[in-house]
Amino acid sequence: MSNVIELEGQVLAEVAAASSEAALDAVRVSALGKKGRVSALLATLGKMSPDERKTQGAAINAVKDRVTEALASRKAVLAEAALTARLSAERVDVTLPVRDTAVNTGRIHPITQVTDELTAIFADMGFSVAEGPDVETDFFNFTALNFPPGHPAREMHDTFFFSPDANGDRKLLRTHTSPVQIRTMMGGKPPFRIICPGRTYRNDSDQTHTPMFHQVEGLVIDKTANLANLKWILQEFCKAFFEVDTVKMRFRPSFFPFTEPSMEVDIQCSRQAGEIRFGQGEDWLEILGCGMVHPNVLRHCGIDPDEYQGFAWGMGIDRIAMLKYGMTDLRPFFDGDVRWLRHYGFRPLDVPSLAGGLSG
Ligand code: DAH
């Protein structure tokens, strides 16, 4: 009899001490399971005399009932505690303001913005966008553009070359977007009216040069395209891009192997306290190179220079972005510093358009 009471005390103490539902279940198995301690006592009844069985049986079954009840009520307490803990861990404060979405916190990089702006402007003038690969052959980057092998103008491009292949030919990272002119003319039939924005590469690095930078090329080929058309296009572009009513431009003679005549274009500006303004002032700022496409270039592309003619230009996208949005150093464009982007970036849904405004 005494070991029945002792066992009850022990099991009830274990029930009370169980601190999780799993621990409680272990107690249940060790008391009431097939090989449990209470079950073992019940199994002894069979060997007892009928009188003994009557008293012992009632006592052991009473212990079994009390243990069962204790297990059930402890289980309810532990389940309640587990639920409370889970509810407070998973608590949602529905009164908190909604977190900013990516659309509100993300920013468009100025290069992307400016590329979208100039694409909108030239698209409005009937230009389509052409693209070419960043890794080019010597033929497309130089030879077809009338840079003869060994010509000193090649040296001015600070080219990144790849290792020579089995034939000794070296691929390169395009030094300008002009090879896209060649690819376009070789791959289609005139007339052409395209722009080619894209990445370009030269081994150069300082405040206004980075080894990777961006250019936009323009090309117009038809039977009558001439310098007056080019001048009008560039003037309209500058007014729309810099968002001013007038711009004064000046064309200076220059040299590029792929154009004849070749010119560089400056636009009038004023500089005060480090700030540049367009459409006023006495200063000039170079913004692009251009010219009439050289007959040799047309010939390389299978176009008869006696029938077709045209003009082209190349402009630094990074440079016009810096001018328009007042950045003085190009290098942070490519640092990936989110603080810079937060300051100079554009809101993703303010897509530039001529009707809706370019720069928002
Ligand atoms: N490709 C020239 C450069 O990177 C820029 C250029 C000048 C492009 C005159 C042209 C052009 O299409 O006509 O320096």
Side-chain angles (χ1 to χ4, degrees):
M1 194 69 191
S2 70
N3 57 350
V4 176
I5 293 166
E6 213 172 278
L7 178 62
E8 180 180 0
Q10 199 181 330
V11 173
L12 291 182
E14 285 173 23
V15 168
S19 59
S20 68
E21 288 182 89
L24 185 66
D25 203 52
V27 176
R28 181 186 64 78
V29 172
S30 81
L32 304 179
K34 255 192 218 151
K35 295 179 184 161
R37 290 161 288 172
V38 177
S39 313
L41 278 179
L42 282 168
T44 60
L45 291 177
K47 293 189 186 123
M48 292 178 190
S49 65
D51 275 355
E52 222 181 343
R53 191 183 302 143
K54 216 175 177 182
T55 52
Q56 287 281 36
I60 299 172
N61 274 307
V63 168
K64 184 184 172 188
D65 290 346
R66 284 195 292 278
V67 166
T68 304
E69 202 180 303
L71 281 166
S73 67
R74 181 73 187 144
K75 187 174 173 142
V77 169
L78 289 174
E80 172 81 23
L83 180 64
T84 311
R86 191 170 151 207
L87 282 175
S88 76
E90 292 176 7
R91 183 165 171 270
V92 175
D93 183 349
V94 293
T95 66
L96 277 178
V98 178
R99 279 205 192 104
D100 251 351
T101 59
V103 157
N104 283 331
T105 53
R107 286 292 177 269
I108 299 293
H109 195 283
I111 294 294
T112 310
Q113 167 79 16
V114 164
T115 304
D116 290 348
E117 289 179 19
L118 62 88
T119 303
I121 297 170
F122 285 118
D124 191 56
M125 296 191 220
F127 284 77
S128 50
V129 173
E131 286 181 314
D134 290 13
V135 176
E136 265 299 4
T137 61
D138 185 276
F139 175 77
F140 285 109
N141 198 80
F142 291 125
T143 308
L145 286 160
N146 200 32
F147 289 78
H151 192 285
R154 288 177 176 235
E155 307 306 315
M156 290 164 61
H157 276 222
D158 300 314
T159 312
F160 288 113
F161 287 101
F162 289 87
S163 306
D165 61 17
N167 302 325
D169 294 328
R170 291 185 300 176
K171 289 245 172 68
L172 49 86
L173 289 173
R174 67 179 181 193
T175 57
H176 48 180
T177 43
S178 304
V180 188
Q181 288 187 25
I182 305 297
R183 288 181 175 275
T184 304
M185 289 192 279
M186 285 183 138
K189 282 199 162 28
F192 298 104
R193 198 187 288 178
I194 53 151
I195 56 163
C196 335
R199 294 197 178 109
T200 46
Y201 306 83
R202 289 185 200 183
N203 192 358
D204 201 356
S205 185
D206 60 34
Q207 189 171 335
T208 54
H209 296 88
T210 49
M212 191 275 293
F213 58 107
H214 299 80
Q215 285 190 342
V216 56
E217 192 83 9
L219 174 72
V220 174
I221 301 287
D222 59 27
K223 292 190 172 172
T224 59
N226 58 54
L227 285 181
N229 305 146
L230 169 67
K231 188 175 172 195
W232 181 84
I233 288 174
L234 294 178
Q235 229 153 15
E236 289 305 305
F237 169 75
C238 286
K239 283 197 289 188
F241 180 74
F242 291 111
E243 300 176 62
V244 290
D245 293 334
T246 53
V247 271
K248 272 207 186 141
M249 305 181 99
R250 134 180 128 171
F251 287 69
R252 274 183 295 104
S254 181
F255 173 78
F256 303 104
F258 38 92
T259 43
E260 181 58 39
S262 303
M263 285 149 289
E264 275 171 326
V265 175
D266 300 334
I267 53 175
Q268 187 189 36
C269 67
S270 72
R271 292 172 217 250
Q272 267 155 20
E275 203 183 319
I276 298 183
R277 282 182 193 283
F278 299 99
Q280 59 184 59
E282 302 301 317
D283 271 342
W284 295 95
L285 197 95
E286 182 199 322
I287 59 158
L288 59 89
C290 61
M292 294 299 290
V293 177
H294 197 292
N296 285 349
V297 174
L298 294 174
R299 272 186 213 110
H300 264 125
C301 300
I303 295 174
D304 180 358
D306 292 327
E307 195 180 350
Y308 286 100
Q309 62 185 43
F311 51 85
W313 72 91
M315 187 161 50
I317 295 182
D318 318 79
R319 182 167 167 80
I320 61 171
M322 289 168 76
L323 291 173
K324 180 168 180 180
Y325 293 112
M327 301 98 157
T328 50
D329 194 339
L330 181 59
R331 292 163 296 195
F333 275 62
F334 310 115
D335 280 348
D337 186 332
V338 81
R339 293 164 300 181
W340 184 88
L341 191 59
R342 234 177 254 141
H343 183 78
Y344 285 111
F346 295 81
R347 303 179 78 83
L349 293 184
D350 293 346
V351 179
S353 74
L354 289 185
L358 286 179
S359 53

